[in-house]
Amino acid sequence: MDIEVYTGGIAQTNAYLLKTDQGHWLIDAPEGAQEFLADADAKLDGLILTHGHFDHLWDAGPIIEQEGCTSYGHKDDDKLFANPNLMSSFGINADLHPVSITNYLDQGDSLILGPYHFDILHLPGHCPGSIGLYEKAQGVLFGGDVIFAGGGIGRYDLPGGDFDVLIQSIKDRVMPLPEDTVIFPGHGPATTIKDEKSANPFLNK
């Protein structure tokens, strides 16, 4: 799997450019992602948003408009997609563009991106519309801000967050995946199911 990682914005948010012979897809769009795509000379076929927090969709509106690409997200984050500046009450001084979602994804859905077949996991708790993209054959999960390397989990103190719901999402839908599954998170380096099973203190609560 040919993946190019871009990290940018005030929260050092990861975006993942999936490149195939059949097209290019971007997972999340932090600040600077539009310039990153230009530098990578990548024409997008689709943009997938793992959730509606401002740092993951900072450049989403302009990218969708420029690329004319399909956009994907979960309906439970519609309010954040439509008005990303709702997060301005948390000290975010930005005038972000609304994001138009053309295809909604939910638990149990499949998403075909070139040669890859992703199963969609709905993972609320950090954000109501948080999703993960799991590719079984490749052993890869793009997990957004649900679980992080080194024993971390996503914040649950923002609007729509819920600690108990987040932990249940992780235990019910992430941890049952094969232990060698590589998790590409919304922030920080990659990790594996095995490493988080053994080292993540939140999973023992």
Side-chain angles (χ1 to χ4, degrees), residues 140-160:
V140 166
L141 171 69
F142 295 98
D145 287 2
V146 173
I147 190 167
F148 302 119
I153 61 172
R155 289 182 62 172
Y156 44 86
D157 58 336
L158 299 173

Side-chain angles (χ1 to χ4, degrees), residues 4-172:
E4 192 169 344
V5 184
Y6 166 77
T7 303
I10 60 174
Q12 287 296 282
T13 303
N14 294 331
Y16 299 96
L17 178 61
L18 179 62
K19 301 186 287 186
T20 80
D21 292 338
Q22 301 171 39
H24 298 78
W25 291 268
L26 186 68
I27 300 173
D28 288 330
E31 184 180 11
Q34 187 175 25
E35 184 177 349
F36 159 72
L37 290 174
D39 291 343
D41 194 25
K43 175 65 178 175
L44 277 194
D45 293 271
L47 170 64
I48 305 102
L49 297 170
T50 60
H51 60 291
H53 283 163
F54 75 95
D55 56 314
H56 290 257
L57 52 75
W58 192 291
D59 275 10
I63 286 173
I64 293 167
E65 182 177 351
Q66 176 178 299
E67 300 288 323
C69 63
T70 303
S71 57
Y72 302 84
H74 193 280
K75 59 181 175 57
D76 286 354
D77 278 357
D78 254 354
K79 288 184 179 179
L80 292 171
F81 295 140
N83 186 9
N85 294 300
L86 286 173
M87 298 294 288
S88 62
S89 60
F90 292 87
I92 308 305
N93 185 22
D95 184 18
L96 303 182
H97 295 260
V99 178
S100 176
I101 300 297
T102 53
N103 291 67
Y104 288 105
L105 300 172
D106 204 351
Q107 175 69 27
D109 288 345
S110 295
L111 182 61
I112 308 300
L113 303 180
Y116 305 118
H117 183 137
F118 287 92
D119 294 318
I120 303 303
L121 308 179
H122 183 208
L123 303 170
H126 171 67
C127 205
S130 290
I131 58 170
L133 292 82
Y134 173 57
E135 219 292 347
K136 182 178 180 180
Q138 297 292 315
V140 166
L141 171 69
F142 295 98
D145 287 2
V146 173
I147 190 167
F148 302 119
I153 61 172
R155 289 182 62 172
Y156 44 86
D157 58 336
L158 299 173
D162 186 302
F163 174 79
D164 292 333
V165 172
L166 177 57
I167 294 301
Q168 207 61 47
S169 291
I170 296 170
K171 287 184 175 181
D172 289 351

